[in-house]
Amino acid sequence: MPRELITLQVGQCGNQIGNEFWKRLSAEHGINSEGILEPFATDDADRKDVFFYQADDDHYIPRAVLVDLENRVLNSIRTSPVTRNLYNPENFFCSRDGSGAGNNWAKGYALGESVQEEVFDIIDREADGSDSLEGFMLTHAVAGGTGSGLGSYFLERLNDRYPKKLVQTYSVFPHQSNETSDVVVQPYNTILTMRRLVENADCVVVLDNTALNRIASERLQMEKPDVAIVNQLVSQIMSASTSTLRYPGYMNNDLIGLVSCLIPTPRLHFLMTGYTPIVAFDEETPSAIRKTTVLDVMRRLLQPQNMMVSARMDTHKYISMLNIIQGDVDATQVHKSLQRIRERRLASFIPWGPASIQVALSKKSPYIPSAHRVSGLMLANHTSISNVFKSSISNFDKLRSKKAFLQFFTEVNPNITQELDDSRECVADMMAEYEAAERHDYIDYISGNKDDSQRD
């Protein structure tokens, strides 16, 4: 029996990447823009029910809830000829005044209280319509107002309302250089959201705008990558990371199986991704990679330039790693490739855990033509993610030390300064824990922290 997942898309970025994800999933399963299965889609080996359900007239509808505080992006999805008949129209929610959160976490979070009843009516209806709901996937950005503030509010409420269901997020982080942002309070928004990702999510897939734009620029030879291309890149990552759920094999065919092998302790749940080959989405552009083998794909997945997070990989260690290899692959090729990687010591692992690369083989969609025989996605728990925390704290401290722009937050919540300082401390603790994970005494470190918290 498939374990269903409900996608919660919050804010402009969350809805844009979520919409691209559904367009890609529909194409991979042979579902047209009306939700009807194409005549050529005769392969019954896939599990459409994980992400779609069938209406009374048998057309497929995404298990998606689309939430925003302003209408622009939702209206573009509603009116697009590609998606206007795909979603359940009752699953769109926009606040009545449509004024948005103004890139302010505090405003987005505060508005959560007033809209939660209507949104959870939609979520509860979707959950009640599932036979065996496994969890939720949240798509959002951490730096704006709606995706960060409203997204944080829903993360907390999902934990309260569905305590036994998994919550996985695809979280888009801002450019690590704060100078490239036109949102002056971005560091505050980011730190406040990161606290909720630490405390209320079971698994966070970190997508870094700096890395995404670099990959689009270098790999796709685009001088100025536009948002649509970056969103398509994210949808490709999301699609590949869910492929074992939709094309099940012997292992990793549900979300708990997928994340449990990557997250050794509950707090170390921030994952990085890598993907290869990265090719242009318009098929007229020739690919730079002419031939793909299992070894070549697995070797490329270890290269920092294919990672969706900007971080120094060479000075840090892997906690765990799962390679999802899609295409025409033989198991013996995988074993030989793993042996070569081991011999060359291409991956450095933490000293207190198993030093092994896990591999899951998955089918490719037979309905999307591909120029490459093999493609691969890496989901990795890597201690260099602490650089993202460090960068976020540094940008936060620059503003907080001057008490800059705090009035935008205190106007909404007079007690927000304590919340800001507590959030910074939470993120700093998380950074310290990832740094401690590189040491032999990590188990003693978390045992000591647990004893301290019990005394408190």
Side-chain angles (χ1 to χ4, degrees), residues 2 22 25-39 41-64 82-89 91 126 367:
W22 287 112
L25 247 58
S26 298
E28 288 190 4
H29 290 288
I31 297 169
N32 66 21
S33 59
E34 303 291 319
I36 306 297
L37 207 59
E38 297 280 13
T42 55
D43 184 4
D44 292 330
D46 59 350
R47 282 183 179 170
K48 301 177 189 69
D49 292 350
V50 174
F51 286 99
F52 295 88
Y53 63 91
Q54 284 184 279
D56 290 343
D57 63 355
D58 286 343
H59 80 277
Y60 285 88
I61 300 174
R63 300 182 191 275
V82 181
T83 55
R84 66 186 174 200
N85 295 320
L86 184 64
Y87 300 98
N88 181 349
N91 284 15
E126 287 295 321
Y367 312 125

Side-chain angles (χ1 to χ4, degrees), residues 151-170:
S152 295
Y153 185 88
F154 286 139
L155 271 174
E156 292 177 348
R157 295 301 167 266
L158 281 173
N159 269 189
D160 295 339
R161 206 166 183 121
Y162 296 94
K164 295 184 179 179
K165 303 301 179 186
L166 283 176
V167 178
Q168 181 186 35
T169 77
Y170 288 85

Side-chain angles (χ1 to χ4, degrees), residues 391-406:
S391 171
S392 300
I393 290 171
S394 173
N395 289 332
F396 172 88
D397 287 345
K398 288 173 188 173
L399 292 188
R400 186 71 180 93
S401 62
K402 300 172 185 174
K403 299 183 179 179
F405 309 116
L406 278 177

Side-chain angles (χ1 to χ4, degrees), residues 3 47 90 176 295 313 316 323 328 366 371 407:
R3 304 290 307 280
R47 282 183 179 170
E90 295 179 346
Q176 291 190 18
L295 176 60
M313 306 284 290
H316 297 272
N323 286 345
D328 182 17
Q407 71 274 15

Side-chain angles (χ1 to χ4, degrees), residues 315-327:
T315 57
H316 297 272
K317 299 180 185 297
Y318 286 96
I319 298 170
S320 56
M321 185 196 312
L322 172 66
N323 286 345
I324 298 175
I325 307 296
Q326 292 181 281

Side-chain angles (χ1 to χ4, degrees), residues 88 104 112 120 138 171 186 234 254 299:
N88 181 349
N104 185 330
F120 271 101
L138 171 69
S171 303
Q186 173 181 288
V234 172
D254 57 9
R299 186 173 51 79

Side-chain angles (χ1 to χ4, degrees), residues 77-145:
I77 294 171
R78 278 194 190 102
T79 56
S80 164
V82 181
T83 55
R84 66 186 174 200
N85 295 320
L86 184 64
Y87 300 98
N88 181 349
E90 295 179 346
N91 284 15
F92 286 78
F93 175 83
C94 183
S95 64
R96 287 181 179 82
D97 64 0
S99 60
N103 291 317
N104 185 330
W105 182 94
K107 189 175 179 183
Y109 188 86
L111 285 168
E113 190 67 44
S114 60
V115 305
Q116 66 146 337
E117 192 171 329
E118 292 173 82
V119 174
F120 271 101
D121 279 347
I122 302 171
I123 294 172
D124 291 343
R125 170 165 45 76
E126 287 295 321
D128 293 341
S130 306
D131 292 326
S132 181
L133 179 67
E134 185 172 24
F136 300 90
M137 278 172 44
L138 171 69
T139 60
H140 70 134
V142 304

Side-chain angles (χ1 to χ4, degrees), residues 339-393:
Q339 192 172 356
R340 292 283 292 279
I341 288 169
R342 241 181 252 117
E343 288 169 356
R344 295 180 185 179
R345 297 183 179 178
L346 296 178
S348 177
F349 283 84
I350 44 139
W352 51 269
S356 64
I357 301 173
Q358 300 171 79
V359 179
L361 303 182
S362 175
K363 279 182 62 179
K364 270 188 174 182
S365 169
Y367 312 125
I368 296 183
S370 172
H372 297 97
R373 193 174 64 86
V374 183
S375 62
L377 170 86
M378 177 171 72
L379 286 166
N381 201 339
H382 197 273
T383 58
S384 65
I385 201 74
S386 61
N387 292 335
V388 175
F389 295 97
K390 188 175 183 178
S391 171
S392 300
I393 290 171

